[in-house]
Amino acid sequence: MCTVGWFGVSTLVRHHPAGGSGEAAPAFPNVVVPVPVSTVAATGGPFTLTRDATVSTDVPGIGDYLAGILRVSTGFALPVSAGAGGTIALVLSGAPATVGDQGYQLTSTHDGVVIRAAKPAGLFSGVQTLLQLMPPAAQGPSPVSAPVTVPAGTVLDHPRYAYRGAMLDVARHFFTVDQVKRYIDEIAHYKINYLHLHLSDDQGWRIAIDGRPRLTDHGGSTEVGGGQGGFYTQADYSAIVAYAAARYVTVIPEIDMPGHTNAALASYAELNCDGVAPKLYTGINVGFSTLCTSREATYAFIDEVIGQLAKLTPGPYIHIGGDESQSTAPEDYVAFVERVQKIVESHGKTVIGWHEIASADLLPSTVAQYWDPAGANADLSRAAAKGTKVIMSPASHAYLDQKYDDGTQLGLDWAGLNDVDHAYDWDPATYVIGVPASAVLGVEASLWTETLSSSDDIDFMAFPRLPAIAEIGWSPAETHDAKAFRERLAAQGPRWQVMGVGYYKSPQVAWPAGS
Ligand code: TNX
């Protein structure tokens, strides 16, 4: 049987001699996104999953996750046991030191697959690679008769950046817990390890805060276009956090302030300098709202909100927004950011804010998230020189809400059109003048939802660009190659097809027939 028969990507059929054995090993297939640090093909494979296969694991949840997917697609029992010795073995020892905390080593032979890592997060990433090395149907919703194979070889892999995020705006349009879980599953396939939830904006407040019922009853009651909105109870939110954690994704809650706050201002009059609550807002213009930065009531409110969010957040970060505060005087803005940083710190969390916060004196731990396509920002480079870490989300490349081309029905285009080649065509280490490679914590793909209201809309805008940003965040700079990336991406098409993930069939990619 042909070991790489399903791949259908031209470069995969190249063969090269295997060192010394005299037997030819097939080239390792170029199908994994993000591309691993190194892949070496071996002879004697492939591994074929059979009815009597077992999974052994040092981390029960990861074994169950993998077996759960493969049971659905094969109908095999795939019992999961603790320890070693399974046909597929997930082992927390013996990995080379280079894998670090998030990497892994995957070895596949005729007899089985072993994934080794130092930490569970690494094992989970190895499992994603394993799934992508199997035929697409292995991730499908019903049993298939075709064999599930894995090419023989070794993958050694670890991320370029520790932080690889995806942001979902649940404020402009509300998305249910199940819709967010669906997106978590989708991003986890590409080794994204942070989900940033934009929980409040002018058009809606989406998280219940004890003692502040109007935030959700009133502030959560609408969305862009005037729909009914919605919000998460704290139990809902905890369910999202737990679901994400089981996929090694850490949730970062964002409460955007002092601008982008009309929903809060409409809910509590005391947050307004004139003491008058504005009407709810369902348009898409920005820059008109601000919390009253001179009122103590504002800081009491923020302390309550951040305090409760901190308790719901096992991860280190709370995002305070800070973007486009065009209705806040610059000196008030600076004082506000400096004070809110301390509130977040007092609740034991680290601040992330959009890069405008760099006009303030930042705490050493505070992280700035860069969004401007311009690639230069004096405040940010000054902060970076003093040690501020930066997450890169330049809108022209990493904003998944921007249109692919002139004909794209969904999305906005203020940062320019952004087809997949363009989404992939940048380097976080050199993007912002004055922000050196050493200051870059990672990357984030942002999905704003002014024009998006369903999971189909999310899928269409996120795929295939989210994998482009994921690869920029994970893979070594030396592997960056647009043509090779397009080939890997093409191999994802059939996968999305079987998983029911609708995607934009960018003409830049030679999608296999039928995907
Ligand atoms: C800019 S850049 C925003 C969002 C919008 C988005 C639409 C930044 C941090 N904020 O408020 O939703 O553009 O593309």
Side-chain angles (χ1 to χ4, degrees):
M1 186 183 59
C2 173
T3 62
V4 291
W6 68 268
F7 292 117
V9 176
S10 61
T11 55
L12 306 182
V13 295
R14 276 202 315 257
H15 286 54
H16 64 78
S21 74
E23 195 187 336
F28 204 79
N30 178 36
V31 293
V32 177
V33 178
V35 65
V37 169
S38 95
T39 56
V40 180
T43 55
F47 167 69
T48 303
L49 194 72
T50 53
R51 186 164 291 280
D52 57 357
T54 58
V55 175
S56 64
T57 182
D58 286 337
V59 185
I62 301 178
D64 291 343
Y65 171 90
L66 176 63
I69 292 169
L70 296 177
R71 282 179 196 135
V72 169
S73 62
T74 61
F76 300 163
L78 287 166
V80 178
S81 63
T87 322
I88 299 175
L90 310 176
V91 187
L92 274 185
S93 62
T98 48
V99 303
D101 284 352
Q102 295 189 31
Y104 63 91
Q105 180 192 52
L106 181 157
T107 308
S108 166
T109 67
H110 178 266
D111 299 330
V113 175
V114 182
I115 303 176
R116 295 182 182 279
K119 294 278 164 60
L123 274 189
F124 188 78
S125 283
V127 161
Q128 298 306 330
T129 296
L130 175 61
L131 288 168
Q132 289 191 29
L133 289 170
M134 292 174 167
Q139 286 177 282
S142 49
V144 282
S145 49
V148 170
T149 57
V150 180
T154 299
V155 179
L156 187 68
D157 204 11
H158 52 83
R160 179 180 182 189
Y161 294 113
Y163 185 106
R164 302 167 308 280
M167 190 219 76
L168 181 64
D169 171 8
V170 296
R172 270 50 177 276
H173 279 97
F174 178 67
F175 294 90
T176 63
V177 171
D178 283 346
Q179 287 175 308
V180 175
K181 287 180 175 174
R182 175 187 167 91
Y183 197 51
I184 291 168
D185 276 322
E186 293 173 357
I187 65 178
H189 288 145
Y190 296 96
K191 304 185 173 82
I192 296 287
N193 61 349
Y194 286 92
L195 174 69
H196 162 186
L197 286 177
H198 186 75
L199 289 170
S200 68
D201 212 300
D202 290 321
Q203 300 86 347
W205 182 284
R206 307 301 179 205
I207 176 79
I209 299 297
D210 293 342
R212 297 281 184 169
R214 273 181 66 77
L215 284 174
T216 42
D217 290 353
H218 187 61
S221 67
T222 193
E223 58 190 3
V224 168
Q228 66 178 15
F231 66 90
Y232 308 120
T233 64
Q234 294 198 359
D236 288 340
Y237 188 80
S238 294
I240 291 172
V241 168
Y243 192 85
R247 285 147 187 81
Y248 295 86
V249 172
T250 300
V251 176
I252 299 172
E254 177 187 353
I255 298 296
D256 202 348
M257 54 188 144
H260 289 273
T261 40
N262 193 76
L265 296 167
S267 304
Y268 287 97
E270 77 225 45
L271 304 176
N272 298 270
C273 282
D274 62 5
V276 179
K279 288 196 168 58
L280 293 173
Y281 176 72
T282 60
I284 64 170
N285 291 334
V286 299
F288 61 89
S289 56
T290 183
L291 294 173
C292 186
T293 58
S294 58
R295 280 193 171 214
E296 280 310 303
T298 295
Y299 300 97
F301 168 77
I302 293 169
D303 189 60
E304 281 174 58
V305 171
I306 299 291
Q308 291 185 35
L309 273 182
K311 288 208 177 75
L312 294 169
T313 301
Y317 299 117
I318 290 193
H319 202 304
I320 61 168
D323 56 316
E324 301 172 318
S325 297
Q326 290 148 18
S327 299
T328 321
E331 60 279 17
D332 295 343
Y333 176 85
V334 164
F336 176 87
V337 168
E338 290 172 2
R339 189 157 169 191
V340 173
Q341 277 189 116
K342 295 199 181 108
I343 295 175
V344 173
E345 189 188 39
S346 77
H347 292 288
K349 298 296 174 186
T350 300
V351 171
I352 304 179
W354 298 105
H355 70 256
E356 288 97 319
I357 64 165
S359 64
D361 247 343
L362 300 182
L363 294 172
S365 59
T366 294
V367 174
Q369 181 170 9
Y370 185 75
W371 60 262
D372 194 334
N377 182 284
D379 288 334
L380 187 63
S381 32
R382 204 175 312 117
K386 285 202 263 168
T388 297
K389 293 280 190 260
V390 182
I391 296 166
M392 292 291 177
S393 305
S396 46
H397 299 279
Y399 271 23
L400 305 180
D401 71 322
Q402 300 298 294
K403 290 177 184 291
Y404 291 98
D405 69 14
D406 285 333
T408 310
Q409 298 291 308
L410 299 171
L412 305 175
D413 61 3
W414 66 266
L417 300 174
N418 188 25
D419 205 337
V420 63
D421 268 355
H422 193 256
Y424 186 71
D425 184 22
W426 63 289
D427 182 356
T430 57
Y431 192 80
V432 185
I433 294 165
V435 176
S438 58
V440 178
L441 186 64
V443 302
E444 189 167 292
S446 303
L447 189 48
W448 303 99
T449 60
E450 285 93 334
T451 65
L452 315 178
S453 57
S454 65
S455 285
D456 284 352
D457 293 350
I458 290 176
D459 289 355
F460 181 80
M461 298 307 267
F463 296 95
R465 292 179 293 191
L466 176 107
I469 307 304
E471 176 154 320
I472 285 176
W474 178 282
S475 304
E478 318 76 87
T479 63
H480 193 88
D481 177 331
K483 183 165 172 290
F485 174 65
R486 274 185 235 122
E487 288 171 1
R488 291 189 279 285
L489 207 48
Q492 307 300 306
R495 225 160 261 289
W496 297 329
Q497 180 80 23
V498 299
M499 290 191 286
V501 176
Y503 63 99
Y504 171 62
K505 286 205 175 164
S506 167
Q508 297 176 341
V509 178
W511 304 105
S515 64

